[in-house]
Each structure stands twice: as C-alpha cells, then as structure tokens.
Amino acid sequence: MKQLFRHCAGYRIDWAKLFFAGAIMTVAGVMLQMFTLPYPLSMWFISQPIISWDEPLNGEVGLSERVTESMVTNVFLSSPAELSLLVPVEPAERLTVIERRKSVSRRRRKDTKVDAKSTISPPPPPSRRSVPYRLQKFIWSLKPNEALEYARKEIERAPLVTDDPELYAPLFLNVSMFKRSYELMEMILKVYIYPDGARPIFHQPHLRGIYASEGWFMRLMEGNKQFVTRDPEKAHLFYMPYSARQLELALYKPESHNLKPLSIFLRNYVNKIAAKYPFWNRTHGSDHFLVACHDWGPYTVNEHKELSKNTIKALCNADLSEGIFVLGKDVSLPETTIRTPRRPLRNVGGKRVSQRPILAFFAGNMHGRVRPTLVKHWRDKDEDMRIYGPLPARVARKMSYIQHMKSSKYCISPMGYEVNSPRIIEAIYYECVPVIIADNFVLPLSEVLDWSAFSVLVAEKDIPKLKEILLAIPMKRYLTMQINVKMVQKHFLWNPRPVRHDLFHMILHSIWFNRLNQIQIPQS
C-alpha cells in the first residue's frame, strides 16, 4: 500500500482535464434523463398550481384552483410520497416529505405504480391574504375611480362570514362587510403623500402624550410600502401630512385665545398644493384626507371652505354639535396616551374579573362641563365609586392610576374641554369596561365597531344615577363585555411595525370606507 501511494504521488493531477471530463458526464446524465423519463424533467420543479377562471369577473369572482392536465396526464410516481412533488407544500412540510420518502422501502417503490390522475387531489385553496394574479392584474388595469366603484359593489355583495379566526364577530356591526372591505383595501388602496411643507408642522410626528395618534399615523403612513405610491395618477387617496399639535407649538401665542393664525396657515398650504398639483381641483378635495388629534383640529380648517366641507377629516374631537365633523364622511380618531414612544405597548393588559374589587374609577383634571358634575355627585360618597379629581398623593402612594384601572370593573371616561378622552382607550388597554359620558360624541371607528358590545354609554343628565345604571347590568352581561374588551384591544394598539387589523390599519380602513361611501355608482 505504501509503495502504491508513493507511485501515485509522483504524478501531478491535471485539474483542467478532470473538470472537463466531469462536465461531459453531467451533460450526458441530463440528456439521458430527458430521453428516458416518461414525463418532462420540468415536472420536478413545479411549485405553483395554475389558476383557471370558471366564471367572468363580477360581484362574486368565480375562481377555482386546480392541477392542470399537463401536470397529471401519463404521470407514474414511484411512491405516494412523491405526490407531494405536484402539490405545493409549506417549507416546514418539506422536511417531513423528504423523511417520508427515505422511509419507503425499495420493494414498495418497485411494486407500487399509482395513476396520479385518479388519486391526486387538488391543492389546498390559497391563504385569504393571497391575491390571484389575474384578479390583481384586472384591478391594476382599472383607473382609480373605476377601482373604487368596483370595491363599492363588491362590499355590497360581501359573502357571509360565520367564523373567521382573525375577526371576532360580536365586535362588529357587520363582520362580513368589514372583512370584504378590508381585503379590498389591501388589494386596491394606494395613497399619495404630498412632499410639500417644512418641519416641524409637516412630516415631523409628535409621538408622545395624549395627542400622539396623529403622530403615530403620520410616522407609519410615511414609512409604509404597501399602500403608499409615488405616482399620484394611481392614487385613490391623497394624504396631507401635517400635525395639529406641531401647528399649535409653532404658531399659537400662549394666552391669546386666537386660533385664526393656525387656520390661515393651513389655508395657505391647501392653496399652495392646489396651485402646484391638479389633484385638489379635480375633486375639490373630496379624495384628500388629514389626521388631527388636537382639540383644535376641527377649528384649523375653518378658513378654507373646501377643506372644511369636502376633505375627509380624521379627528379626535369628533363633535356633531359644532357642525364641522360630518357623519359618514369624517372619521373619529381614537385618542391614545403614549408615555414611552419606544415601547407603545408598555403596561397593556389587565387583571381577571375576580381581582377587580372596585366598581367604578375616575381620576383627572377638572375641566369641561361634565367632570365637575361627576365629582360633585360621587367624590367621597361611596366606597364602590372611586371618583376623584386629580389622583391624591395619599391614594397614589398605595395604588397608581394604572393599577386603579386594572383593579376596576368599570372605568369612567367623561369628556373634558372636548368630547373625546384618552381614558376610553386606556380602559381598553387595561381591560376595564369603559363608561363613556359625552353627548354628541361620535365614537372612534364607529363605521365598523359596535361599541355597545364592549362599553357603556351614559347620558350627561344621568350622572346622578351612575351607580344605579352600573349595578343594573347583569353579571353575565358584564362578563361578556369584559371578554369583548379583551378581544377588541388589538384593534386599538399602535405597533412599531403595523400588523393586520391594528390601529393604524383600522384608521386607514375607516378613511377608505368613508371615501367609498361618497362614490356615486351609475344606475346601469
């Protein structure tokens, strides 16, 4: 053996010839397979079924996915495990398929020849998030107005939804219409964001405090790749990215009580984009929208008639009594308190019902017409009704504001200077049933959500009967509402990276939904 090794070591290996010989053998092997296999070599690389259209595109698109005849005709497989080569499988399943193939005996592979045409089953239907290519191609071929008309008709013919793992039906006014509308939004909607405007008023989101909703929406919208388009000709909606909070900080003179400079500034901005682009004048602003969570948001649009009457306004201050918020066109924006922008979901969650000994809780500053009345009737009057002004230090040392909400069955959410209150969403975060006291208030996301399923509405005149109203709610009804609060929670969360059906998507959907409501469908 040593002599043989010494003999071979004396020769040099010609790597070029060795490589050339290997290449010839590889080509020969491929050619041999092509001429000897009973079906094309490309069959080994099939990964997706071919989608066929059984019916013309209409209200209920008739799509059926099937394995085409070319995939199954004259195909003989050496084992049932190899059927998996024809049916798309998830990556996690492929290892299992390989292991199964290895475990099949050689004798079984030899004796078993199955007619794939008789045994193969159609591949499973696609995920509901996937969009058939031909349908997507059809949608891309539509002009923006045509796409909106198509979506409006599809929503009106929404298929019945009885059980959806992502949507809890009791929370919605019509879960079938919401599901269809949301899916169409994902398929169709494109938003153009105006690049105009200087910081800090434009493009600089305010992410902390009770006005953070407008800032978080701006941040996530401008960073979005699914809905944002750079081509305004393809846009269905136009976003004017200004911050009402930054507008106040930059232009308002403290103690002046004069909001007109803010309105004039916004009027000049709209006139600027109307002069620079053709899109505002084309619809008089009806396909444009703004998002403002500051109390003064509605009042900053008063100097521009089209901005006030036509534009879709997503406002925290959604007060019907003032004549600015238009029901069915404008959107009520949830007012969320963000204490730590890097961790917006901090402290979210609550205690079980058995660990909530307090019947009702409220603590907050005394402003507006409702809170003084609430405190007058209930502060220090009843042990079950923990009603305060600002939370006293002696109480806070024993139990913090958040701990109070997590230990209460009902969390009182009275209006302040304006109709909205961040306590409504805080109650949902801490799994406490919100009790909303604000006449003329359009509840957030009320286009799709049924607030009676997870909250209690009390008229301002009924504040003296507040405990009586709460005690009259049966325990079974309360437990149902408390469960619904937990289920609706995900629809009010700001995620640093948006996920389906979270607050970013719900706000955008309400804007999309109200825009569709303005579309006039021809009678023909």
Side-chain angles (χ1 to χ4, degrees):
M1 191 68 181
K2 292 182 179 180
Q3 292 178 355
L4 180 63
F5 176 77
R6 290 172 183 172
H7 181 73
C8 293
Y11 293 92
R12 291 186 176 180
I13 299 175
D14 192 336
W15 292 103
K17 292 181 179 180
L18 185 62
F19 178 78
F20 181 71
I24 292 177
M25 293 175 65
T26 302
V27 173
V30 171
M31 296 295 292
L32 181 64
Q33 291 185 36
M34 293 178 61
F35 287 104
T36 58
L37 286 176
Y39 50 88
L41 189 66
S42 61
M43 286 295 297
W44 292 93
F45 303 102
I46 292 177
S47 60
Q48 296 293 336
I50 297 176
I51 298 173
S52 63
W53 289 63
D54 290 340
E55 299 177 9
L57 190 63
N58 53 26
E60 294 183 1
V61 181
L63 297 179
S64 63
E65 294 185 351
R66 60 181 67 176
V67 181
T68 59
E69 292 184 4
S70 63
M71 295 174 62
V72 296
T73 304
N74 297 325
V75 179
F76 293 92
L77 303 178
S78 60
S79 76
E82 293 184 10
L83 289 172
S84 60
L85 290 172
L86 295 181
V87 182
V89 295
E90 297 297 326
E93 297 173 352
R94 290 176 183 167
L95 293 177
T96 306
V97 171
I98 294 172
E99 292 174 0
R100 204 183 309 141
R101 291 184 61 193
K102 289 183 178 179
S103 66
V104 178
S105 65
R106 182 177 301 177
R107 180 179 177 182
R108 184 178 176 185
R109 291 201 305 269
K110 182 178 180 180
D111 295 340
T112 306
K113 284 191 176 182
V114 183
D115 184 3
K117 195 169 185 177
S118 62
T119 61
I120 197 166
S121 59
S127 166
R128 64 170 154 251
R129 300 184 197 179
S130 63
V131 181
Y133 173 73
R134 292 190 180 182
L135 176 58
Q136 188 68 75
K137 187 176 180 181
F138 166 77
I139 290 172
W140 286 340
S141 69
L142 298 176
K143 296 179 180 179
N145 284 343
E146 294 173 341
L148 295 179
E149 289 181 13
Y150 166 74
R152 173 78 181 272
K153 295 176 183 178
E154 284 288 295
I155 293 171
E156 291 177 354
R157 293 190 288 248
L160 182 64
V161 175
T162 56
D163 185 20
D164 189 288
E166 292 186 355
L167 300 175
Y168 189 57
L171 304 176
F172 294 90
L173 298 171
N174 187 323
V175 70
S176 301
M177 290 186 67
F178 171 74
K179 175 179 167 60
R180 188 61 179 143
S181 177
Y182 190 94
E183 290 173 343
L184 288 165
M185 178 186 76
E186 290 183 311
M187 283 193 287
I188 296 174
L189 180 61
K190 293 299 177 185
V191 178
Y192 180 75
I193 304 175
Y194 283 108
D196 308 81
R199 292 170 176 258
I201 297 173
F202 298 92
H203 311 287
Q204 184 169 318
H206 194 85
L207 303 177
R208 187 190 301 273
I210 64 174
Y211 305 125
S213 288
E214 63 180 25
W216 275 86
F217 182 87
M218 182 193 300
R219 177 190 179 187
L220 299 178
M221 188 77 254
E222 292 197 321
N224 188 274
K225 295 181 180 179
Q226 178 182 1
F227 298 108
V228 173
T229 179
R230 293 184 179 181
D231 183 357
E233 295 293 344
K234 296 180 180 179
H236 307 92
L237 287 169
F238 294 80
Y239 174 40
M240 298 181 291
Y242 86 99
S243 166
R245 174 59 171 164
Q246 299 286 30
L247 188 65
E248 178 220 357
L249 295 175
L251 299 179
Y252 178 69
K253 294 182 180 180
E255 305 301 329
S256 69
H257 305 288
N258 182 12
L259 304 184
K260 195 166 184 177
L262 285 65
S263 300
I264 292 175
F265 181 89
L266 195 56
R267 180 196 66 190
N268 293 339
Y269 164 71
V270 173
N271 289 337
K272 177 182 176 181
I273 63 172
K276 185 175 180 180
Y277 305 94
F279 312 110
W280 179 278
N281 296 325
R282 189 171 60 188
T283 64
H284 301 285
S286 61
D287 55 358
H288 288 58
F289 72 94
L290 59 88
V291 178
C293 193
H294 197 278
D295 288 352
W296 299 344
Y299 315 127
T300 59
V301 303
N302 286 336
E303 290 294 320
H304 196 290
K305 184 177 180 180
E306 290 181 344
L307 179 64
S308 177
K309 298 298 182 182
N310 300 339
T311 302
I312 300 172
K313 303 181 290 295
L315 303 172
C316 284
N317 187 7
D319 190 343
L320 283 177
S321 66
E322 296 178 339
I324 301 175
F325 187 93
V326 181
L327 188 65
K329 176 180 71 69
D330 296 331
V331 173
S332 179
L333 185 68
E335 189 169 329
T336 56
T337 301
I338 302 297
R339 295 177 173 85
T340 309
R342 291 188 178 182
R343 297 175 60 192
L345 306 183
R346 184 180 181 184
N347 294 321
V348 170
K351 297 180 179 180
R352 63 184 66 177
V353 173
S354 60
Q355 296 176 329
R356 293 178 177 268
I358 304 171
L359 176 63
F361 166 72
F362 167 77
N365 294 325
M366 291 295 97
H367 52 250
R369 64 177 184 267
V370 174
R371 296 183 186 185
T373 305
L374 177 68
V375 170
K376 176 184 175 182
H377 280 89
W378 293 107
R379 180 164 58 184
D380 300 328
K381 299 291 179 63
D382 194 307
E383 184 63 23
D384 291 335
M385 305 288 287
R386 305 286 180 88
I387 306 298
Y388 307 96
L391 192 64
R394 58 180 174 79
V395 177
R397 281 194 293 267
K398 297 179 182 179
M399 185 183 294
S400 69
Y401 176 84
I402 292 176
Q403 289 171 337
H404 269 89
M405 298 195 87
K406 292 188 176 188
S407 301
S408 301
K409 291 182 175 66
Y410 298 96
C411 290
I412 314 300
S413 303
M415 63 176 287
Y417 286 125
E418 304 295 347
V419 289
N420 208 340
S421 168
R423 285 163 185 78
I424 298 174
I425 311 304
E426 285 179 338
I428 293 174
Y429 284 176
Y430 307 136
E431 297 171 8
C432 176
V433 176
V435 178
I436 303 168
I437 309 175
D439 295 350
N440 302 310
F441 178 37
V442 179
L443 293 168
L445 310 181
S446 55
E447 297 81 10
V448 294
L449 293 180
D450 180 7
W451 279 81
S452 65
F454 54 89
S455 68
V456 179
L457 304 182
V458 176
E460 295 175 20
K461 65 181 179 59
D462 291 332
I463 289 176
K465 299 187 293 184
L466 183 56
K467 184 178 181 180
E468 180 183 344
I469 292 172
L470 298 181
L471 291 178
I473 298 173
M475 178 55 69
K476 183 178 180 180
R477 170 64 179 160
Y478 166 75
L479 292 175
T480 300
M481 286 194 294
Q482 212 268 337
I483 291 171
N484 290 345
V485 166
K486 292 181 181 180
M487 300 303 291
V488 81
Q489 189 182 81
K490 73 174 186 177
H491 299 304
F492 288 96
L493 297 178
W494 289 114
N495 293 288
R497 293 184 178 180
V499 298
R500 292 187 95 219
H501 304 123
D502 68 358
L503 187 51
F504 168 73
H505 287 97
M506 294 297 287
I507 294 170
L508 188 60
H509 173 268
S510 287
I511 296 169
W512 149 267
F513 189 79
N514 282 3
R515 172 58 183 152
L516 291 181
N517 286 337
Q518 311 305 312
I519 298 297
Q520 300 296 326
I521 299 179
Q523 294 297 325
S524 60

